[in-house]
Amino acid sequence: MSANNAFHIAVLAGDGIGPEVMAPALEVLRKVGEKSGLGFRFTEAPAGANHYLATGKSMPDSTIKLCEEADAILLGACGLPSVRYPDNTEIAPQIELRFIFDLYAGVRPARLIPGVPSPIVGADQRGIDLVVIRESTEGLFASMGKGVVTHEDARETMVITRKTSERLFEFSFRLAERRKARGKPGALTCVDKANVFKAFAFFRGIFDEIEKKHPGVKTDRLYVDACSAMLVKRPWDFDVMVMENMFGDIVSDITASLIGGLGMAPSADIGDKYAVFQPCHGTAPDIMGQGKANPTGMILSAAMMLDWLADKHGVESAAEAGETIERAVDQVYAGGIKPMEFGGSNGTADITKAVLAAL
């Protein structure tokens, strides 16, 4: 924390609906800060497709320096389908930040909030409360920008290292232990494809090694295809799941869909020193500027940031503030708020106003 006892937050609003969902999150943080005695200093910086169009870079060096100096990084959504690098890939500073700051643990919670519809029969009675932990710096994504394409074929290389896998599994076991202490199952499932690929057999072997250090955590191992099938039948059977980057990219979208959609889903990319917090959804240029964007995922990402800051700096009031935001969101949805993505009539302004009132 800075000398004036305020958390310094780097704010990268990004493209599309990114700025539209960022503004409510900052309003919520300011209000909860007033109530809990927390101080915030927000510094906005450019990143994304629009900045690339203007300058030829996804982020200026000043943005990276700000992120390095800040206590945490809040990211809206970056990239536009119509703006691409010469190799035809999209502008994605959110991925670049993971590599720059070694943010190896992608944390994707999926909790069904009362009043939010789920496509899973019985979910309203049984509940859904799980976390996908996605390795975020290697796996198939290690090949980003390095793939080889010829007229005849294209090749990408998956990389799994012992160092990153050990850190990832330690992080995952500690999270399972913390959830168990809070009354959750505290179970951890390793998701892979170890029956086909040597790299995933290596991945699972390291999981087995780290498991021995955490005897209080119940563990399981599932192939990713079987896991995906089980998720859409009995998601309440899962607690914490850990997996390779590409698998996590796909499975976390499945789990977000189980709890109402990407607009409801927060996320974090966490390393040993730095962390980025952002909603799971994209920039949604089709609804940009129409007031339809659901800010809930962004608001809940801000709550995740407070919990991380509390753990990092030993400021218990920050964790309590994060829980206050989550309770406010629960109250709002239980009270009948229905975003447009659910076929309702409530847009960005309605949801923001309701959460602020609930605080």
Side-chain angles (χ1 to χ4, degrees), residues 99-162:
F99 291 106
I100 293 169
F101 294 111
D102 194 21
L103 309 178
Y104 57 86
V107 182
R108 310 288 189 266
R111 181 175 66 90
L112 184 62
I113 293 172
V116 175
S118 171
I120 307 302
V121 175
D124 52 343
Q125 287 89 35
R126 300 294 298 268
I128 299 172
D129 188 350
L130 56 85
V131 182
V132 171
I133 301 180
R134 166 193 179 186
E135 195 290 312
S136 291
T137 60
E138 48 186 48
L140 194 55
F141 277 73
S143 191
M144 192 179 77
K146 303 172 186 175
V148 177
V149 179
T150 70
H151 184 267
E152 301 300 329
D153 62 22
R155 298 172 186 267
E156 305 277 5
T157 302
M158 181 170 67
V159 177
I160 291 177
T161 68
R162 172 170 289 278

Side-chain angles (χ1 to χ4, degrees), residues 208-209 266:
D208 293 344
E209 294 172 17

Side-chain angles (χ1 to χ4, degrees), residues 9-326:
I9 310 300
V11 177
L12 282 57
D15 306 303
I17 63 169
E20 297 173 39
V21 298
M22 181 64 78
L26 298 185
E27 282 190 74
V28 167
L29 284 170
R30 289 188 184 100
K31 182 155 188 178
V32 81
E34 292 170 5
K35 291 174 64 68
S36 59
L38 294 172
F40 296 103
R41 181 162 59 94
F42 301 115
T43 304
E44 298 188 13
N50 286 315
H51 189 266
Y52 175 80
L53 281 177
T55 67
K57 294 183 69 175
S58 65
M59 291 180 287
D61 293 341
S62 57
T63 292
I64 297 170
K65 188 172 190 300
L66 168 67
C67 292
E68 187 175 3
E69 295 172 348
D71 292 306
I73 304 156
L74 269 183
L75 181 64
C78 292
L80 294 170
S82 60
V83 182
R84 295 177 178 266
Y85 288 118
D87 66 359
N88 206 36
T89 58
E90 286 191 32
I91 315 305
Q94 66 272 26
I95 298 177
E96 294 167 32
L97 287 168
R98 296 170 196 164
F99 291 106
I100 293 169
F101 294 111
D102 194 21
L103 309 178
Y104 57 86
V107 182
R108 310 288 189 266
R111 181 175 66 90
L112 184 62
I113 293 172
V116 175
S118 171
I120 307 302
V121 175
D124 52 343
Q125 287 89 35
R126 300 294 298 268
I128 299 172
D129 188 350
L130 56 85
V131 182
V132 171
I133 301 180
R134 166 193 179 186
E135 195 290 312
S136 291
T137 60
E138 48 186 48
L140 194 55
F141 277 73
S143 191
M144 192 179 77
K146 303 172 186 175
V148 177
V149 179
T150 70
H151 184 267
E152 301 300 329
D153 62 22
R155 298 172 186 267
E156 305 277 5
T157 302
M158 181 170 67
V159 177
I160 291 177
T161 68
R162 172 170 289 278
K163 177 184 176 182
T164 295
S165 297
E166 286 177 347
R167 291 189 299 171
L168 179 74
F169 293 142
E170 284 288 358
F171 182 97
S172 303
F173 275 102
R174 290 196 303 270
L175 177 60
E177 288 165 346
R178 289 200 302 274
R179 284 173 64 86
K180 187 175 183 179
R182 295 175 181 177
K184 307 286 174 60
L188 178 61
T189 302
C190 179
V191 180
D192 55 45
K193 196 64 177 169
N195 58 329
V196 176
F197 296 100
K198 291 181 180 179
F200 284 118
F202 176 73
F203 187 74
R204 182 181 288 201
I206 298 171
F207 179 85
D208 293 344
E209 294 172 17
I210 302 301
E211 178 191 23
K212 296 172 185 176
K213 302 178 183 179
H214 302 271
V217 176
K218 182 182 177 182
T219 62
D220 197 3
R221 294 135 183 88
L222 284 174
Y223 301 135
V224 67
D225 44 350
C227 175
S228 299
M230 293 170 66
L231 274 171
V232 297
K233 288 185 176 181
R234 299 179 58 85
W236 43 81
D237 286 346
F238 290 91
D239 188 27
V240 183
M241 296 179 285
V242 60
M243 61 200 73
E244 176 269 340
N245 206 333
M246 179 59 82
F247 288 169
D249 189 18
I250 297 166
V251 171
S252 61
D253 272 23
I254 295 175
T255 56
S257 298
L258 305 182
I259 60 163
L262 291 173
M264 299 298 299
S267 79
D269 289 300
I270 298 173
D272 292 334
K273 185 177 179 182
Y274 302 97
V276 173
F277 300 85
Q278 65 178 114
C280 285
H281 63 70
T283 54
D286 56 320
I287 61 169
M288 178 177 63
Q290 301 173 40
K292 296 179 179 180
N294 181 359
T296 305
M298 185 77 246
I299 291 170
L300 291 175
S301 296
M304 287 182 70
M305 179 187 74
L306 291 176
D307 188 65
W308 180 79
L309 286 169
D311 184 58
K312 184 179 180 184
H313 294 282
V315 181
E316 185 57 34
S317 58
E320 293 168 358
E323 292 172 0
T324 298
I325 292 173
E326 290 185 355

